[in-house]
Amino acid sequence: MVARGDESAYRQLFEHYWPRVYSVALLLAKVPEAAEDAAQEIFAQLWIKKEQLVNVREFRAYLFATARNHIFNKLRGQVFTGSFTAYLQEYFSDALANPAATLEFKEAEQIIHNGINQLTPQQQKVFRLSRFQGLSHAEIAAETGLSQRTVKNYIVSANLSLRNYLEKHAGSSVIFLWMLLSL
């Protein structure tokens, strides 16, 4: 019914799923205001794209996949608005209150940067434009004069190289930090 524009069906859907979507957003974002904003944006997008719901067989799975992707995109966007270090320090602030965790964080950050420095110069440039400046493949292609396909290939190969490097040189916490980069 929501797909046909039924506002009361949408309201029921909103009331039923809001607490769960908000909880997932809070778990991932760790900031109540950001979680609330994300949940509101998710439900707004549901209404805007309501016609597409006709093709959805498992609404709950669709909703949570949509929520997860939206929240990860917001988190990745936060990485791009400031320094990567500042973002990670804020995200892991509870753990970083512990001096040992702070040292581990700094070591992890250094290992990740060393891994990036092991990439070819072109991979480094494309990877940094993508992950640290938040540019799309099209924007990177325009800035570097490469094709979008080449940009994508560089990013894929950079991710593979970094994963291999980190598996050899790092523990699970470093690999988790790298996963944030590769969202």
Side-chain angles (χ1 to χ4, degrees), residues 1-165:
M1 299 301 135
V2 174
R4 294 187 191 137
D6 184 338
E7 290 182 29
S8 73
Y10 173 77
R11 201 170 308 115
Q12 288 176 344
L13 181 134
F14 178 88
E15 290 170 2
H16 180 75
Y17 286 106
W18 172 266
R20 294 179 192 143
V21 170
Y22 174 78
S23 295
V24 168
L26 184 59
L27 179 68
L28 295 172
K30 297 190 178 199
V31 178
E33 295 81 14
E36 187 171 337
D37 289 347
Q40 288 175 353
E41 291 166 4
I42 291 161
F43 281 102
Q45 286 301 312
L46 273 180
W47 181 253
I48 291 167
K49 298 180 179 181
K50 61 187 170 284
E51 293 83 16
Q52 296 174 4
L53 296 177
V54 171
N55 301 321
V56 174
R57 290 185 179 265
E58 295 289 331
F59 178 76
R60 186 168 188 245
Y62 170 80
L63 176 63
F64 288 107
T66 300
R68 181 196 65 224
N69 293 340
H70 180 80
I71 294 162
F72 281 159
N73 285 337
K74 284 187 72 79
L75 289 173
R76 182 173 44 174
Q78 289 176 359
V79 171
F80 302 138
T81 58
S83 76
F84 181 61
T85 303
Y87 166 74
L88 289 177
Q89 286 174 337
E90 181 180 329
Y91 189 80
F92 294 106
S93 61
D94 294 339
L96 292 174
N98 176 339
T102 302
L103 179 61
E104 184 179 349
F105 169 79
K106 288 181 180 184
E107 289 172 356
E109 181 185 36
Q110 187 60 48
I111 291 170
I112 290 170
H113 285 291
N114 289 346
I116 292 170
N117 290 335
Q118 297 294 315
L119 300 172
T120 66
Q122 199 69 332
Q123 285 176 331
Q124 285 182 41
K125 182 176 185 174
V126 169
F127 185 84
R128 285 187 169 114
L129 289 171
S130 171
R131 298 308 192 253
F132 295 130
Q133 294 183 25
L135 300 182
S136 69
H137 291 181
E139 292 169 327
I140 295 169
E143 184 167 319
T144 60
L146 301 169
S147 72
Q148 286 187 43
R149 181 181 208 98
T150 301
V151 167
K152 181 179 179 181
N153 289 339
Y154 278 137
I155 291 172
V156 168
S157 62
N159 279 324
L160 181 59
S161 295
L162 277 171
R163 184 177 333 144
N164 290 334
Y165 178 85

